[in-house]
Amino acid sequence: MKVAVLVKTALDTGQLRVRDTVVIEETPFKISDIDRNAIEEAVKLKGQDKAYGVTVVKWGPLQKKIQEAENVLREALAMGLDEVYLVVDEKLLNASHTATAKAIAAVIKKVGADIVLAGEATVDNFTGQIPARVAAELGWPVVTYVRELKIEGGRVVAKRDLEDHVEVVEAPLPVVVSVTREINQPRIPTLLAIRAAMKKPINKLTLADLGIDITPKISASYRPLVIQRKKIIIKDGTPEEKAEKLIQYLRQEGVI
Amino acid sequence: MKTLVVYPNKELLYAASTLGGEITALVFSQKEAEALAGKAHRILVAEIDPKSPDAVAEAVIKAFPGHDLVMLPSTKNARTVGGLIAQRLGAEFLTDVLSLRAEGGVIKAERYVFGNKAVATVEAQLPAVVSIALGRFQGEPPTVQSIVERVEEVAIAPKVKILSVEEKPRGAVKLEEAEIIVSVGRGFKKKEDLQMAFELAKVLGGQVGCSRPIAADLKWLPEEHWVGLSGKKVKPKLYLAIGISGQPQHIAGILDSRIIAAINNDPSAPIFQNADYGVVEDLYKIVPILINKISKLKAK
């Protein structure tokens, strides 16, 4: 089973650099959390074949971010992927989702796969639209929000976790599947695996290498969300006194 | 502006009406079409399985010519449909938008990004696809004259086949509508101890919510209690977080609460940075006292 995993080198929202605005250039990358589940599932499914990661660098400055992306991707390799494809091109900075999906699909067409795995959404933008877009671009079926996955005789059988029901669906291979965190427990790479990952290939590709051209960019501006909470901390006194104090505050607010 | 509303509901129709112009609603049965009479200029009926994102996407593609915008709710299937059609239309898909306006061929929207730590203002050229964040567009869509038409010949051989559907167990919990939520996290050591939170919720006249590990990992409560980015987004007047550390994904679900109070024995728990009132205390000591004091208060 040849598996492609969409690994997003996402902005680490826990380390967001904020001044008057969000300083994206200074915010470090990390693997988008749910993608770890996709990587784990890929490593389990690949058997004798290969599993590779695909990522598109969407944020600049390019030179600095390429280096960061490579470091982040070593983690994906340490978890058991065999190689990764890193698509970097000035034209992909702030590219539209349409363009990003085209670039990802182009890598998959070039390298080949029986199944494409992705996280249900990425931690930075959380739009959850890329798996369906990649499927549309490839002309493959897509199965989203999967919490259990089996491959049986050339098709996938999956449990989809929707708002108020769970669906069991089947689809023929090749297929794009997005997974939820519940599908597995991602492994923590051993020291040996981390060492081995240093020797695995990170292939860098430009749009020219993929034979595609992309123009549309999106315009977006970001302002930090200032949560205006009162942050009144009650830490002195007996539990009795603290409870009394909390009740007093909540009554003043008119909420109890 | 001509907006095609898929999986139409009151909120979507209202949001579409704020953009002006004509509204088309795409529905999947004659019955749905009848219920919608007077609420959209055109009502298109495509008789397909609304549960199949494949089939719905085909119907949307078929119905789209002549429209500028597709509007969807923020459900998982609608998001899947949105991704499929946006790629085929070469259009942007703005998800979970908090606000929306259109000017000169461009749609402008705001949405939360970066773990809900920032608000992005995003612009996209029309045609575009948007999904609306739940509860953000409150109002009555105007009454209009409706024409009902059918969408013919939607290619209906979905590649993804639904084998079975299992309803999730549902109790009487409606966290989205609750005014008071007492929410529990990993600070509780045993499932039985959650009883304390249920008692406190009862004396407060509220519901019980929980963080991800309680519902997803430990399964101490059904998922309908789960508050957060992957669970329910809530907007009570009081959100009382007990033994919850306050992961960003959890905070994302409670942003719209009026007052947030937190009880945690770890003074460095991130929940305190996101709370109006924080009590540093062992929940096992303070919750029984709160139950006692509040029930006396209510009895007065």
Side-chain angles (χ1 to χ4, degrees):
Chain A
M1 181 82 40
K2 191 165 183 178
V3 189
V5 189
L6 310 189
V7 182
K8 173 124 184 224
T9 41
L11 294 176
D12 183 348
T13 56
Q15 298 193 53
L16 211 59
R17 299 288 192 270
V18 172
R19 289 197 277 273
D20 295 336
T21 169
V22 177
V23 191
I24 284 166
E25 297 75 16
E26 293 174 15
T27 299
F29 274 162
K30 69 172 206 169
I31 295 181
S32 177
D33 301 4
I34 314 170
D35 294 359
R36 287 180 196 277
N37 300 86
I39 296 168
E40 178 66 35
E41 204 63 18
V43 173
K44 282 191 200 156
L45 281 179
K46 70 171 183 171
Q48 300 300 309
D49 271 332
K50 283 198 165 171
Y52 64 92
V54 183
T55 196
V56 172
V57 174
K58 290 203 59 169
W59 311 101
L62 212 48
Q63 282 318 313
K64 178 171 173 249
K65 289 294 176 189
I66 291 173
Q67 192 52 54
E68 268 184 47
E70 284 186 26
N71 294 340
V72 164
L73 290 170
R74 293 284 171 206
E75 260 183 84
L77 291 168
M79 283 182 71
L81 293 187
D82 298 289
E83 56 184 320
V84 289
Y85 291 82
L86 173 62
V87 189
V88 284
D89 202 304
E90 281 289 343
K91 284 184 176 171
L92 284 166
L93 298 181
N94 303 311
S96 68
H97 289 96
T98 314
T100 307
K102 273 190 200 296
I104 292 169
V107 177
I108 292 160
K109 277 183 207 158
K110 190 183 168 90
V111 186
D114 302 302
I115 183 167
V116 174
L117 293 171
E120 61 168 293
T122 58
V123 291
D124 47 1
N125 264 329
F126 218 86
T127 78
Q129 56 181 289
I130 290 291
R133 282 183 178 270
V134 169
E137 194 63 32
L138 292 167
W140 295 2
V142 62
V143 183
T144 47
Y145 306 99
V146 170
R147 69 189 291 170
E148 229 178 277
L149 184 65
K150 271 183 277 176
I151 313 273
E152 301 171 347
R155 14 162 249 159
V156 294
V157 176
K159 262 193 185 173
R160 298 185 69 214
D161 190 347
L162 301 172
E163 284 83 0
D164 46 16
H165 62 276
V166 176
E167 267 177 21
V168 180
V169 302
E170 66 165 30
L173 295 174
V175 65
V176 178
V177 172
S178 83
V179 304
T180 70
R181 284 175 215 261
E182 283 64 50
I183 194 166
N184 57 36
Q185 186 68 47
R187 73 192 63 197
I188 296 161
T190 61
L191 197 57
L192 209 64
I194 294 168
R195 284 221 187 105
M198 298 308 286
K199 298 196 188 82
K200 292 181 181 177
I202 293 180
N203 308 294
K204 269 180 266 177
L205 297 169
T206 62
L207 293 177
D209 296 331
L210 293 168
I212 53 171
D213 194 20
I214 276 161
T215 36
K217 300 247 170 191
I218 46 162
S219 142
S221 62
Y222 306 98
R223 65 183 157 85
L225 181 63
V226 185
I227 303 171
Q228 277 151 348
R229 294 289 171 196
K230 299 189 177 83
K231 296 183 200 170
I232 295 171
I233 305 295
I234 306 163
K235 57 176 189 294
D236 299 319
T238 63
E240 183 87 20
E241 286 161 358
K242 289 177 185 172
E244 196 54 56
K245 196 110 205 176
L246 177 64
I247 291 169
Q248 223 174 52
Y249 278 126
L250 297 181
R251 290 190 76 189
Q252 273 167 21
E253 294 282 357
V255 293
I256 62 171
Chain B
M1 177 65 93
K2 289 190 174 170
T3 306
L4 178 64
V5 181
V6 187
Y7 299 114
N9 60 34
K10 187 174 136 193
E11 198 168 6
L12 286 171
L13 293 166
Y14 171 71
S17 74
T18 64
L19 296 172
E22 239 177 68
I23 299 170
T24 307
L26 179 63
V27 299
F28 306 107
S29 70
Q30 197 60 41
K31 208 174 140 195
E32 248 188 297
E34 281 158 25
L36 226 58
K39 296 192 177 111
H41 299 89
R42 285 172 73 203
I43 299 169
L44 292 177
V45 189
E47 290 197 356
I48 51 160
D49 182 359
K51 278 203 173 79
S52 162
D54 268 8
V56 176
E58 285 304 326
V60 177
I61 292 285
K62 189 101 185 163
F64 185 72
H67 294 88
D68 307 299
L69 187 71
V70 177
M71 196 176 277
L72 299 155
S74 285
T75 63
K76 292 177 180 178
N77 268 345
R79 198 181 284 251
T80 307
V81 170
L84 288 170
I85 59 167
Q87 192 67 17
R88 286 173 64 180
L89 297 171
E92 267 311 279
F93 178 17
L94 310 178
T95 58
D96 296 305
V97 305
L98 310 165
S99 73
L100 197 59
R101 70 199 156 88
E103 349 173 284
V106 171
I107 189 102
K108 256 192 178 182
E110 284 179 305
R111 59 186 305 272
Y112 291 135
V113 289
F114 308 149
N116 289 25
K117 286 185 174 158
V119 178
T121 306
V122 196
E123 270 184 47
Q125 294 289 324
L126 294 174
V129 183
V130 297
S131 74
I132 302 289
L134 199 69
R136 281 284 170 167
F137 294 83
Q138 303 278 4
E140 282 298 326
T143 306
V144 295
Q145 279 284 46
S146 302
I147 308 168
V148 180
E149 294 163 60
R150 299 181 65 83
V151 183
E152 303 295 343
E153 292 165 39
V154 178
I156 40 156
K159 292 178 220 161
V160 180
K161 214 167 98 190
I162 300 171
L163 301 179
S164 66
V165 178
E166 182 191 315
E167 294 301 317
K168 286 187 189 172
R170 282 200 73 85
V173 187
K174 282 216 171 73
L175 285 185
E176 298 92 328
E177 294 163 21
E179 292 222 313
I180 293 182
I181 296 173
V182 175
S183 210
V184 298
R186 287 299 297 271
F188 285 81
K189 297 190 184 88
K190 302 196 299 288
K191 186 180 175 183
E192 293 70 45
D193 300 342
L194 299 184
Q195 203 42 48
M196 279 195 291
F198 277 93
E199 254 176 74
L200 183 55
K202 194 175 161 200
V203 298
L204 283 168
Q207 307 254 20
V208 173
C210 69
S211 63
R212 182 179 180 283
I214 300 293
D217 301 334
L218 298 167
K219 300 191 191 305
W220 286 353
L221 286 175
E223 285 177 16
E224 59 181 334
H225 291 269
W226 176 357
V227 175
L229 205 48
S230 320
K232 302 267 174 67
K233 297 198 180 71
V234 298
K235 41 176 185 186
K237 61 180 191 184
L238 172 62
Y239 188 84
L240 178 56
I242 306 177
I244 291 178
S245 64
Q247 294 303 311
Q249 289 84 354
H250 188 78
I251 302 299
I254 64 174
L255 279 182
D256 292 330
S257 305
R258 187 151 83 69
I259 295 291
I260 297 174
I263 295 168
N264 203 302
N265 57 4
D266 174 8
S268 62
I271 189 81
F272 289 130
Q273 291 305 309
N274 292 286
D276 296 289
Y277 301 100
V279 186
V280 182
E281 184 53 83
D282 181 352
L283 71 92
Y284 284 89
K285 287 189 185 142
I286 195 168
V287 173
I289 301 173
L290 285 172
I291 295 168
N292 187 8
K293 281 186 186 292
I294 293 169
S295 56
K296 276 185 191 148
L297 204 67
K298 297 272 176 181
K300 271 184 199 166

